[in-house]
Every structure is written in C-alpha cells, then in structure tokens.
Amino acid sequence: MANSLLKELLQPSMEQYEEETTGYGIDNIEYASLEMMEAAAEVDRHEQAAAELQEISAGLESISESMAASLEQGGMDPVAAQFAHHAVGAYTERLGIEAADQLPALESFGGDTGRQSSTEVSLESIGETMSKVFEAIRRAIEAVIKAVTDFFSKLFSNAEKLQKAVGATLKKVKDAKGSPSGKTRVPNGDTLAYQGKLDMGSVTTGLDKTRSVYNVMSTEYLAAVTKGKKEAAQVLGNLAPADTTDEFKKAFEVLLNYDKELKTASMKAQGEISGGRTISMEEKGEGDDVYTETVFTKADKEKKPSSYEIDTPSRADLIKMLEVAQKIAGDLKDSKKNINNAVDVYREVHKVTDKLNKDAKGGKLGKAWADVKARRAVNRASRNVVRPVQQLSHHCWSVTRSAVSMAEASLKNYKSE
C-alpha cells in the first residue's frame, strides 16, 4: 500500500512547507507537555518517510545496476524481466506507482532486439523514477530538519517552565504537613520505572542514570556530531565540478572516522535508564559501507512494574527524587547551545549534499558520480545523527513531568497528625 506522505513528497503541493502559526499560548505545564508530544510525533513522521524513501532509492538503484549488467549479455530475457517487474513493483507501489507503468510488457523482451531495447527502456524509466525519489528524499530531509528545529525550539521555550514546575512542587513537598499514609497510584508509572521497579529508590536511581546519559549525549556525542558534519561539509563543498572521485573517497574516509567518534561517545551512554530505555548501537549497511548507528530504544529485557501502587513515599524520598528531576530540567535548558550547533551544521551539510545531487543530475560531476562511494558519502553525510538526542530530550521531559505528577499524587495522601 502506498504511503500517503511518500506520495506527497514525490509530488508536493506549493503550500506544503509554508510556516504555520498557532493562535494560542502555552500557559502551563500540561499544555507544554502536549505541545512537546505533538512536536516529537512530527519528527517521527518525517523521519520514517525519509528512511523509507532512502530504502526505496537503494532498492531501485540495485535493480538498475543489475539491469545495466544484463546489457552485456544482450539484455533481460522474459524470465529476468518478470523478476524485475516484481522487484520494481515491491518498491514503486509504496509510492503509488505500478510496476507496469515503469517497465515494458513481458512479451516485449522476446528476441535479441526486443531484449536489448526493452532493457534500455526499462533503465531509462527507472532512472526517471529514481530522479523523482531523489527529489522526494531532499524534501523529506528538509522536512526532518524543520521538524527537529521546531521540536527543540519548543523544548527550549518550555524547559524553564518545566524547571519552575518542579521547583513549585518541591516547595509544596518541603512545606507539607502531616505524615504519608496508605497507597499512592503512580501516574505514568511505565515512564518512571527503573528495571521494572517503582519503589522510590529505583525511581531516583533511574532519574540519576537518565541525567547521566543525557549529559554524555548532549555534550560529547553532539560535539562529535558537530565536528564530523562540519568536516564532511567542508570536504564535499570543495569538490571541483569535474572528475572528483578521489575527493569523494576522501570525504568517505572523513565520514568513517566521524562514525568511530560517534560510537566512542555513544558507548559511554549505554545502559538502561528510566522507562526501560537505553542508548544502543546497531550495525547498518553492508560490505565496505558498514557503519554503526546510535539509537534510542527499549532495553533488551524491558520489564513492566508488577503494580502501579506503592506505599506513599516519605517527604525525604520525594525531595530526593524532585531534586534530581529539577537538575534534568536544568540540563535540558543548558543544552541549547550544543543542540543548536549540531542542528545548524546538519542544515549546512544538507545544503552541500543537495547541491551535489543537483550537480550529479546535471552531469557536472563527471565519472565521479558513477563510483558507489560518491553516492554513499553523500547519503552518509545526510543522515540525521541528532535524532537519538532529540528522542532522549523528549524522554527526559516526560520523565521529569512524571516525577512532578508522582509527587503531587503522593501529597494527596499526607494526613495531619
């Protein structure tokens, strides 16, 4: 089934990327939380579309290479053509394009002349589709950058509000009279739980670990992102408009070293945090194009709390939890410079790779673009490696807000002596 967003990106309307404004203000933490959730969902939506388009592009490119290779043996025969129909359709139908619209009918591949000419027609047709997909990928990446920028803009405008909300609840706890009694049902218990436990010791430990991971990712990891993206933009931006194969290879080496630096920083941030989440690394690509991608995901053995009701926490335990939560809110606010630097250089490298794609389309890159490492270097440079920090930031917001909710719920069970 075709993905409607992919179809939009393939044939965008003129109004698609106009700025939108809202006519209301965010007056409290609940509205801010809803705004953060919507902004995070928008990033996910465009990120998934970009990833799917890149997968489609890689698939069509592989099919195209196989077709081109068959020309040395006179082109595809009817059996190979049938396989090609199925393979092309598996990708283009996700864009709302039928394989029959891309390739000649199977009977056209009969005889030596028919095989040769029909294969050439197929290559030309797929090439046109790939060109449209490249344009769609460019638009998708621009949409991702805009969504990420909007997310962090909302994060920073609301972080101080979150910090003040924690401070207000912390004061209420310190001023609370009476003693804790009975049970408290923990709101958003899955978000606060650490290793499947909701006792106050586990919750506070989870918050401490969450803060530690965020500090590594928002400093060392983002420093590697900014440095690597900037170097890649410089190398790719200085390519001469002729045979630049060696320069592309140099850029590819820069990106390989950059991936190693990201991996080194990510390894320091591994380990389960609140909500059964973790920073981990996944191997992507194949052959000499294997790279490590940092992802924010569920822990391998994520556990759910056996119960969401706990003995109402003591004042001391609530204070300890909220003090860590307040520090996390402060860390979110203080990470603004590092995050903005990383997003800015991501935008910068996209402009460079966008120009290279246009130069390649216009034939300005000569033989260089035929080298697989050239396209790999451009695709590698275009990856959104800020994504795990964006996801972790949203998680930190949710965890901090949940700590406030837990404390507020607990205060209702304090009885005067």
Side-chain angles (χ1 to χ4, degrees):
M1 181 180 293
N3 181 315
S4 59
L5 179 55
L6 300 191
K7 292 175 72 176
E8 275 182 35
L9 290 163
L10 205 66
Q11 298 178 332
S13 66
M14 295 298 291
E15 297 81 15
Q16 187 173 353
Y17 293 112
E18 289 183 359
E19 294 289 332
E20 293 183 3
T21 58
T22 54
Y24 61 89
I26 302 300
D27 297 318
N28 56 48
I29 195 67
E30 297 306 315
Y31 279 123
S33 295
L34 178 61
E35 189 177 50
M36 294 298 301
M37 189 181 300
E38 290 174 346
E42 192 69 4
V43 176
D44 288 343
R45 177 172 174 260
H46 289 294
E47 189 68 48
Q48 289 166 10
E52 189 168 358
L53 283 166
Q54 286 165 339
E55 181 187 334
I56 291 169
S57 174
L60 291 177
E61 183 178 356
S62 177
I63 294 168
S64 180
E65 288 174 352
S66 297
M67 286 183 177
S70 75
L71 289 173
E72 297 178 5
Q73 284 77 43
M76 295 185 293
D77 60 25
V79 175
Q82 187 171 24
F83 278 109
H85 267 263
H86 290 308
V88 170
Y91 292 108
T92 60
E93 285 172 11
R94 289 152 71 178
L95 301 168
I97 301 173
E98 298 294 330
D101 298 329
Q102 296 290 294
L103 306 177
L106 295 178
E107 55 267 23
S108 302
F109 291 87
D112 292 343
T113 303
R115 287 174 55 187
Q116 183 82 15
S117 61
S118 295
T119 301
E120 289 172 351
V121 169
S122 299
L123 279 168
E124 183 177 343
S125 178
I126 292 175
E128 291 174 359
T129 299
M130 286 173 61
S131 180
K132 292 178 182 178
V133 172
F134 278 133
E135 285 297 305
I137 290 172
R138 180 182 66 79
R139 287 188 285 270
I141 292 174
E142 287 177 352
V144 168
I145 293 173
K146 181 182 182 302
V148 169
T149 302
D150 289 348
F151 171 85
F152 283 120
S153 176
K154 290 178 173 61
L155 175 71
F156 300 136
S157 67
N158 288 319
E160 187 171 356
K161 195 174 298 179
L162 180 65
Q163 193 176 28
K164 287 180 178 178
V166 181
T169 300
L170 183 57
K171 184 177 185 305
K172 286 168 68 175
V173 171
K174 289 179 178 179
D175 294 344
K177 305 298 182 184
S179 304
S181 64
K183 298 280 187 180
T184 294
R185 183 166 184 82
V186 181
N188 308 312
D190 287 339
T191 303
L192 277 179
Y194 176 62
Q195 296 184 339
K197 299 174 183 177
L198 269 175
D199 61 276
M200 288 304 295
S202 296
V203 168
T204 303
T205 297
L207 287 169
D208 269 322
K209 289 186 176 294
T210 300
R211 185 184 179 218
S212 176
V213 167
Y214 185 76
N215 283 332
V216 171
M217 294 297 290
S218 63
T219 56
E220 294 181 51
Y221 177 83
L222 284 183
V225 167
T226 303
K227 176 176 176 287
K229 287 276 189 189
K230 190 169 288 186
E231 288 180 3
Q234 288 172 347
V235 174
L236 293 173
N238 291 331
L239 296 178
D243 187 351
T244 53
T245 304
D246 289 341
E247 291 300 315
F248 270 120
K249 289 179 179 177
K250 180 181 176 183
F252 193 69
E253 291 303 315
V254 167
L255 289 161
L256 286 177
N257 291 331
Y258 156 50
D259 281 332
K260 290 176 184 176
E261 291 183 23
L262 291 184
K263 184 176 180 180
T264 299
S266 300
M267 288 178 70
K268 297 180 182 179
Q270 289 188 101
E272 188 173 343
I273 61 175
S274 299
R277 296 297 184 268
T278 186
I279 292 290
S280 62
M281 285 160 284
E282 296 179 356
E283 293 293 318
K284 301 282 187 177
E286 53 187 47
D288 63 353
D289 190 33
V290 172
Y291 62 92
T292 304
E293 183 172 82
T294 302
V295 294
F296 180 69
T297 186
K298 292 181 180 179
D300 288 340
K301 298 179 180 178
E302 182 196 12
K303 299 176 182 177
K304 297 285 186 181
S306 56
S307 172
Y308 295 92
E309 284 193 339
I310 61 171
D311 291 333
T312 298
S314 69
R315 188 180 291 101
D317 284 341
L318 289 174
I319 289 172
K320 189 182 295 186
M321 175 189 72
L322 288 171
E323 285 178 342
V324 181
Q326 193 172 40
K327 289 175 182 177
I328 294 174
D331 293 338
L332 290 174
K333 187 175 66 173
D334 294 341
S335 64
K336 181 176 181 177
K337 182 178 179 181
N338 291 343
I339 287 173
N340 283 345
N341 285 343
V343 175
D344 285 346
V345 79
Y346 181 28
R347 190 180 294 109
E348 178 186 336
V349 82
H350 171 63
K351 289 179 181 177
V352 172
T353 56
D354 186 32
K355 182 180 183 301
L356 284 171
N357 279 319
K358 289 177 180 176
D359 287 347
K361 188 176 179 181
K364 294 181 181 179
L365 297 181
K367 295 183 296 182
W369 197 246
D371 189 302
V372 69
K373 283 193 175 180
R375 296 190 297 276
R376 284 177 179 172
V378 172
N379 290 337
R380 184 79 68 85
S382 299
R383 284 168 47 216
N384 177 16
V385 288
V386 181
R387 180 167 170 75
V389 179
Q390 178 263 318
Q391 293 173 308
L392 178 59
S393 298
H394 185 231
H395 184 69
C396 285
W397 173 282
S398 299
V399 167
T400 305
R401 175 179 173 272
S402 296
V404 171
S405 299
M406 181 181 186
E408 294 284 354
S410 300
L411 285 175
K412 295 176 182 178
N413 289 333
Y414 271 65
K415 305 296 183 184
S416 297
E417 295 177 356

mmCIF file of all heavy atoms in Angstrom, residues 2-34:
data_model
loop_
_atom_site.group_PDB
_atom_site.id
_atom_site.type_symbol
_atom_site.label_atom_id
_atom_site.label_comp_id
_atom_site.label_asym_id
_atom_site.label_seq_id
_atom_site.Cartn_x
_atom_site.Cartn_y
_atom_site.Cartn_z
ATOM 1 N N ALA A 2 0.499 2.225 -0.797
ATOM 2 C CA ALA A 2 1.296 3.440 -0.887
ATOM 3 C C ALA A 2 1.183 4.256 0.396
ATOM 4 O O ALA A 2 0.124 4.355 0.991
ATOM 5 C CB ALA A 2 0.825 4.274 -2.078
ATOM 6 N N ASN A 3 2.300 4.817 0.792
ATOM 7 C CA ASN A 3 2.339 5.693 1.944
ATOM 8 C C ASN A 3 1.950 7.098 1.475
ATOM 9 O O ASN A 3 2.579 7.660 0.583
ATOM 10 C CB ASN A 3 3.758 5.683 2.523
ATOM 11 C CG ASN A 3 3.904 6.550 3.744
ATOM 12 O OD1 ASN A 3 3.428 7.674 3.778
ATOM 13 N ND2 ASN A 3 4.590 6.029 4.741
ATOM 14 N N SER A 4 0.915 7.695 2.086
ATOM 15 C CA SER A 4 0.405 8.979 1.608
ATOM 16 C C SER A 4 1.449 10.086 1.735
ATOM 17 O O SER A 4 1.520 10.975 0.881
ATOM 18 C CB SER A 4 -0.864 9.367 2.370
ATOM 19 O OG SER A 4 -0.596 9.450 3.754
ATOM 20 N N LEU A 5 2.273 10.048 2.794
ATOM 21 C CA LEU A 5 3.299 11.075 2.952
ATOM 22 C C LEU A 5 4.365 10.935 1.873
ATOM 23 O O LEU A 5 4.869 11.927 1.349
ATOM 24 C CB LEU A 5 3.931 10.990 4.342
ATOM 25 C CG LEU A 5 5.042 12.012 4.629
ATOM 26 C CD1 LEU A 5 4.554 13.437 4.395
ATOM 27 C CD2 LEU A 5 5.554 11.860 6.053
ATOM 28 N N LEU A 6 4.704 9.701 1.496
ATOM 29 C CA LEU A 6 5.683 9.494 0.423
ATOM 30 C C LEU A 6 5.163 10.058 -0.884
ATOM 31 O O LEU A 6 5.905 10.657 -1.665
ATOM 32 C CB LEU A 6 6.000 7.999 0.259
ATOM 33 C CG LEU A 6 6.587 7.269 1.461
ATOM 34 C CD1 LEU A 6 7.092 5.898 1.035
ATOM 35 C CD2 LEU A 6 7.713 8.052 2.096
ATOM 36 N N LYS A 7 3.870 9.874 -1.144
ATOM 37 C CA LYS A 7 3.269 10.416 -2.373
ATOM 38 C C LYS A 7 3.305 11.939 -2.356
ATOM 39 O O LYS A 7 3.543 12.576 -3.370
ATOM 40 C CB LYS A 7 1.835 9.901 -2.530
ATOM 41 C CG LYS A 7 1.765 8.393 -2.818
ATOM 42 C CD LYS A 7 0.334 7.904 -2.843
ATOM 43 C CE LYS A 7 -0.395 8.381 -4.077
ATOM 44 N NZ LYS A 7 -1.771 7.823 -4.157
ATOM 45 N N GLU A 8 3.071 12.529 -1.179
ATOM 46 C CA GLU A 8 3.132 13.988 -1.052
ATOM 47 C C GLU A 8 4.543 14.488 -1.366
ATOM 48 O O GLU A 8 4.722 15.489 -2.053
ATOM 49 C CB GLU A 8 2.791 14.405 0.380
ATOM 50 C CG GLU A 8 1.317 14.539 0.672
ATOM 51 C CD GLU A 8 1.099 14.993 2.111
ATOM 52 O OE1 GLU A 8 1.922 15.780 2.620
ATOM 53 O OE2 GLU A 8 0.132 14.543 2.712
ATOM 54 N N LEU A 9 5.543 13.769 -0.849
ATOM 55 C CA LEU A 9 6.928 14.181 -1.056
ATOM 56 C C LEU A 9 7.349 14.008 -2.509
ATOM 57 O O LEU A 9 8.190 14.741 -3.018
ATOM 58 C CB LEU A 9 7.859 13.381 -0.136
ATOM 59 C CG LEU A 9 7.751 13.731 1.352
ATOM 60 C CD1 LEU A 9 8.378 12.639 2.202
ATOM 61 C CD2 LEU A 9 8.400 15.072 1.634
ATOM 62 N N LEU A 10 6.764 13.006 -3.173
ATOM 63 C CA LEU A 10 7.088 12.753 -4.573
ATOM 64 C C LEU A 10 6.515 13.845 -5.463
ATOM 65 O O LEU A 10 7.146 14.280 -6.424
ATOM 66 C CB LEU A 10 6.548 11.386 -4.997
ATOM 67 C CG LEU A 10 7.259 10.703 -6.160
ATOM 68 C CD1 LEU A 10 8.677 10.329 -5.761
ATOM 69 C CD2 LEU A 10 6.507 9.456 -6.594
ATOM 70 N N GLN A 11 5.311 14.310 -5.153
ATOM 71 C CA GLN A 11 4.654 15.357 -5.930
ATOM 72 C C GLN A 11 4.083 16.393 -4.958
ATOM 73 O O GLN A 11 2.879 16.403 -4.693
ATOM 74 C CB GLN A 11 3.548 14.768 -6.806
ATOM 75 C CG GLN A 11 4.071 13.778 -7.841
ATOM 76 C CD GLN A 11 2.956 13.166 -8.651
ATOM 77 O OE1 GLN A 11 1.836 13.038 -8.192
ATOM 78 N NE2 GLN A 11 3.271 12.817 -9.879
ATOM 79 N N PRO A 12 4.919 17.243 -4.400
ATOM 80 C CA PRO A 12 4.471 18.169 -3.353
ATOM 81 C C PRO A 12 3.576 19.262 -3.889
ATOM 82 O O PRO A 12 3.697 19.681 -5.040
ATOM 83 C CB PRO A 12 5.786 18.754 -2.833
ATOM 84 C CG PRO A 12 6.690 18.705 -4.015
ATOM 85 C CD PRO A 12 6.333 17.444 -4.758
ATOM 86 N N SER A 13 2.672 19.727 -3.034
ATOM 87 C CA SER A 13 1.860 20.885 -3.383
ATOM 88 C C SER A 13 2.670 22.137 -3.097
ATOM 89 O O SER A 13 3.640 22.115 -2.353
ATOM 90 C CB SER A 13 0.576 20.898 -2.555
ATOM 91 O OG SER A 13 0.887 21.098 -1.190
ATOM 92 N N MET A 14 2.271 23.270 -3.664
ATOM 93 C CA MET A 14 3.003 24.515 -3.485
ATOM 94 C C MET A 14 2.968 24.992 -2.041
ATOM 95 O O MET A 14 3.866 25.641 -1.561
ATOM 96 C CB MET A 14 2.406 25.600 -4.397
ATOM 97 C CG MET A 14 2.582 25.305 -5.876
ATOM 98 S SD MET A 14 4.308 25.212 -6.361
ATOM 99 C CE MET A 14 4.767 26.927 -6.170
ATOM 100 N N GLU A 15 1.896 24.633 -1.307
ATOM 101 C CA GLU A 15 1.719 25.143 0.047
ATOM 102 C C GLU A 15 2.343 24.264 1.106
ATOM 103 O O GLU A 15 2.287 24.572 2.287
ATOM 104 C CB GLU A 15 0.225 25.289 0.367
ATOM 105 C CG GLU A 15 -0.514 26.286 -0.513
ATOM 106 C CD GLU A 15 -0.915 25.701 -1.857
ATOM 107 O OE1 GLU A 15 -0.869 24.458 -1.990
ATOM 108 O OE2 GLU A 15 -1.240 26.468 -2.763
ATOM 109 N N GLN A 16 2.954 23.139 0.705
ATOM 110 C CA GLN A 16 3.310 22.113 1.665
ATOM 111 C C GLN A 16 4.222 22.587 2.789
ATOM 112 O O GLN A 16 4.054 22.200 3.931
ATOM 113 C CB GLN A 16 3.993 20.951 0.942
ATOM 114 C CG GLN A 16 4.246 19.762 1.866
ATOM 115 C CD GLN A 16 4.748 18.586 1.087
ATOM 116 O OE1 GLN A 16 4.799 18.587 -0.128
ATOM 117 N NE2 GLN A 16 5.134 17.558 1.785
ATOM 118 N N TYR A 17 5.189 23.452 2.482
ATOM 119 C CA TYR A 17 6.164 23.805 3.503
ATOM 120 C C TYR A 17 6.036 25.249 3.977
ATOM 121 O O TYR A 17 6.979 25.826 4.474
ATOM 122 C CB TYR A 17 7.590 23.537 2.991
ATOM 123 C CG TYR A 17 7.824 22.076 2.810
ATOM 124 C CD1 TYR A 17 7.997 21.534 1.556
ATOM 125 C CD2 TYR A 17 7.804 21.216 3.908
ATOM 126 C CE1 TYR A 17 8.170 20.187 1.395
ATOM 127 C CE2 TYR A 17 7.980 19.859 3.750
ATOM 128 C CZ TYR A 17 8.167 19.355 2.490
ATOM 129 O OH TYR A 17 8.346 18.007 2.322
ATOM 130 N N GLU A 18 4.842 25.818 3.855
ATOM 131 C CA GLU A 18 4.627 27.146 4.397
ATOM 132 C C GLU A 18 4.656 27.079 5.926
ATOM 133 O O GLU A 18 4.234 26.097 6.529
ATOM 134 C CB GLU A 18 3.280 27.708 3.923
ATOM 135 C CG GLU A 18 3.285 28.073 2.434
ATOM 136 C CD GLU A 18 1.968 28.699 2.022
ATOM 137 O OE1 GLU A 18 1.084 28.814 2.889
ATOM 138 O OE2 GLU A 18 1.837 29.053 0.848
ATOM 139 N N GLU A 19 5.142 28.146 6.543
ATOM 140 C CA GLU A 19 5.180 28.199 8.000
ATOM 141 C C GLU A 19 3.770 28.212 8.561
ATOM 142 O O GLU A 19 2.879 28.844 8.008
ATOM 143 C CB GLU A 19 5.921 29.460 8.459
ATOM 144 C CG GLU A 19 7.400 29.467 8.105
ATOM 145 C CD GLU A 19 8.170 28.466 8.944
ATOM 146 O OE1 GLU A 19 7.742 28.189 10.073
ATOM 147 O OE2 GLU A 19 9.197 27.959 8.449
ATOM 148 N N GLU A 20 3.571 27.520 9.644
ATOM 149 C CA GLU A 20 2.284 27.525 10.304
ATOM 150 C C GLU A 20 2.421 28.187 11.669
ATOM 151 O O GLU A 20 3.442 28.084 12.328
ATOM 152 C CB GLU A 20 1.775 26.080 10.499
ATOM 153 C CG GLU A 20 1.455 25.389 9.180
ATOM 154 C CD GLU A 20 0.900 24.006 9.414
ATOM 155 O OE1 GLU A 20 0.716 23.629 10.584
ATOM 156 O OE2 GLU A 20 0.636 23.303 8.435
ATOM 157 N N THR A 21 1.385 28.896 12.083
ATOM 158 C CA THR A 21 1.399 29.514 13.401
ATOM 159 C C THR A 21 0.163 29.085 14.159
ATOM 160 O O THR A 21 -0.848 28.737 13.573
ATOM 161 C CB THR A 21 1.410 31.047 13.287
ATOM 162 O OG1 THR A 21 0.257 31.464 12.533
ATOM 163 C CG2 THR A 21 2.658 31.544 12.584
ATOM 164 N N THR A 22 0.266 29.085 15.453
ATOM 165 C CA THR A 22 -0.887 28.737 16.273
ATOM 166 C C THR A 22 -1.399 29.977 16.951
ATOM 167 O O THR A 22 -0.647 30.899 17.239
ATOM 168 C CB THR A 22 -0.502 27.700 17.345
ATOM 169 O OG1 THR A 22 0.613 28.229 18.079
ATOM 170 C CG2 THR A 22 -0.099 26.394 16.715
ATOM 171 N N GLY A 23 -2.675 30.014 17.221
ATOM 172 C CA GLY A 23 -3.282 31.211 17.767
ATOM 173 C C GLY A 23 -3.480 31.162 19.261
ATOM 174 O O GLY A 23 -4.289 31.900 19.797
ATOM 175 N N TYR A 24 -2.765 30.270 19.939
ATOM 176 C CA TYR A 24 -2.936 30.213 21.392
ATOM 177 C C TYR A 24 -1.573 30.100 22.063
ATOM 178 O O TYR A 24 -0.595 29.709 21.447
ATOM 179 C CB TYR A 24 -3.799 29.005 21.785
ATOM 180 C CG TYR A 24 -3.204 27.688 21.380
ATOM 181 C CD1 TYR A 24 -2.331 27.003 22.224
ATOM 182 C CD2 TYR A 24 -3.494 27.116 20.145
ATOM 183 C CE1 TYR A 24 -1.772 25.800 21.855
ATOM 184 C CE2 TYR A 24 -2.935 25.905 19.770
ATOM 185 C CZ TYR A 24 -2.089 25.256 20.622
ATOM 186 O OH TYR A 24 -1.538 24.070 20.243
ATOM 187 N N GLY A 25 -1.529 30.461 23.321
ATOM 188 C CA GLY A 25 -0.282 30.376 24.066
ATOM 189 C C GLY A 25 -0.286 29.174 24.983
ATOM 190 O O GLY A 25 -1.337 28.642 25.348
ATOM 191 N N ILE A 26 0.892 28.725 25.350
ATOM 192 C CA ILE A 26 1.014 27.610 26.281
ATOM 193 C C ILE A 26 1.134 28.190 27.686
ATOM 194 O O ILE A 26 2.119 28.811 28.035
ATOM 195 C CB ILE A 26 2.252 26.759 25.951
ATOM 196 C CG1 ILE A 26 2.170 26.244 24.517
ATOM 197 C CG2 ILE A 26 2.374 25.605 26.923
ATOM 198 C CD1 ILE A 26 0.977 25.380 24.234
ATOM 199 N N ASP A 27 0.110 28.017 28.487
ATOM 200 C CA ASP A 27 0.051 28.704 29.780
ATOM 201 C C ASP A 27 0.517 27.862 30.962
ATOM 202 O O ASP A 27 0.758 28.394 32.040
ATOM 203 C CB ASP A 27 -1.382 29.185 30.050
ATOM 204 C CG ASP A 27 -1.835 30.210 29.022
ATOM 205 O OD1 ASP A 27 -1.030 31.079 28.688
ATOM 206 O OD2 ASP A 27 -2.979 30.110 28.562
ATOM 207 N N ASN A 28 0.573 26.554 30.789
ATOM 208 C CA ASN A 28 1.005 25.728 31.917
ATOM 209 C C ASN A 28 1.695 24.474 31.428
ATOM 210 O O ASN A 28 1.806 24.234 30.227
ATOM 211 C CB ASN A 28 -0.184 25.365 32.828
ATOM 212 C CG ASN A 28 -1.286 24.666 32.055
ATOM 213 O OD1 ASN A 28 -1.016 23.733 31.307
ATOM 214 N ND2 ASN A 28 -2.521 25.100 32.229
ATOM 215 N N ILE A 29 2.151 23.665 32.356
ATOM 216 C CA ILE A 29 2.967 22.505 32.021
ATOM 217 C C ILE A 29 2.204 21.449 31.233
ATOM 218 O O ILE A 29 2.776 20.719 30.417
ATOM 219 C CB ILE A 29 3.583 21.899 33.312
ATOM 220 C CG1 ILE A 29 4.720 20.947 32.989
ATOM 221 C CG2 ILE A 29 2.529 21.229 34.163
ATOM 222 C CD1 ILE A 29 5.904 21.636 32.399
ATOM 223 N N GLU A 30 0.895 21.362 31.437
ATOM 224 C CA GLU A 30 0.111 20.357 30.716
ATOM 225 C C GLU A 30 0.033 20.702 29.231
ATOM 226 O O GLU A 30 0.187 19.845 28.372
ATOM 227 C CB GLU A 30 -1.289 20.236 31.320
ATOM 228 C CG GLU A 30 -1.288 19.750 32.762
ATOM 229 C CD GLU A 30 -0.519 18.445 32.940
ATOM 230 O OE1 GLU A 30 -0.696 17.536 32.125
ATOM 231 O OE2 GLU A 30 0.269 18.345 33.888
ATOM 232 N N TYR A 31 -0.215 21.963 28.938
ATOM 233 C CA TYR A 31 -0.222 22.383 27.537
ATOM 234 C C TYR A 31 1.158 22.200 26.917
ATOM 235 O O TYR A 31 1.295 21.785 25.769
ATOM 236 C CB TYR A 31 -0.652 23.846 27.420
ATOM 237 C CG TYR A 31 -2.149 24.063 27.470
ATOM 238 C CD1 TYR A 31 -2.708 24.891 28.432
ATOM 239 C CD2 TYR A 31 -2.989 23.447 26.545
ATOM 240 C CE1 TYR A 31 -4.083 25.091 28.486
ATOM 241 C CE2 TYR A 31 -4.354 23.636 26.591
ATOM 242 C CZ TYR A 31 -4.905 24.467 27.564
ATOM 243 O OH TYR A 31 -6.257 24.659 27.621
ATOM 244 N N ALA A 32 2.186 22.541 27.681
ATOM 245 C CA ALA A 32 3.551 22.389 27.183
ATOM 246 C C ALA A 32 3.861 20.928 26.877
ATOM 247 O O ALA A 32 4.506 20.613 25.871
ATOM 248 C CB ALA A 32 4.549 22.938 28.202
ATOM 249 N N SER A 33 3.397 20.030 27.726
ATOM 250 C CA SER A 33 3.646 18.595 27.513
ATOM 251 C C SER A 33 2.959 18.112 26.248
ATOM 252 O O SER A 33 3.517 17.318 25.475
ATOM 253 C CB SER A 33 3.154 17.793 28.719
ATOM 254 O OG SER A 33 3.908 18.117 29.865
ATOM 255 N N LEU A 34 1.742 18.580 26.016
ATOM 256 C CA LEU A 34 1.022 18.214 24.793
ATOM 257 C C LEU A 34 1.752 18.755 23.579
ATOM 258 O O LEU A 34 1.896 18.054 22.558
ATOM 259 C CB LEU A 34 -0.404 18.771 24.852
ATOM 260 C CG LEU A 34 -1.283 18.515 23.614
ATOM 261 C CD1 LEU A 34 -1.459 17.021 23.392
ATOM 262 C CD2 LEU A 34 -2.644 19.193 23.780
#
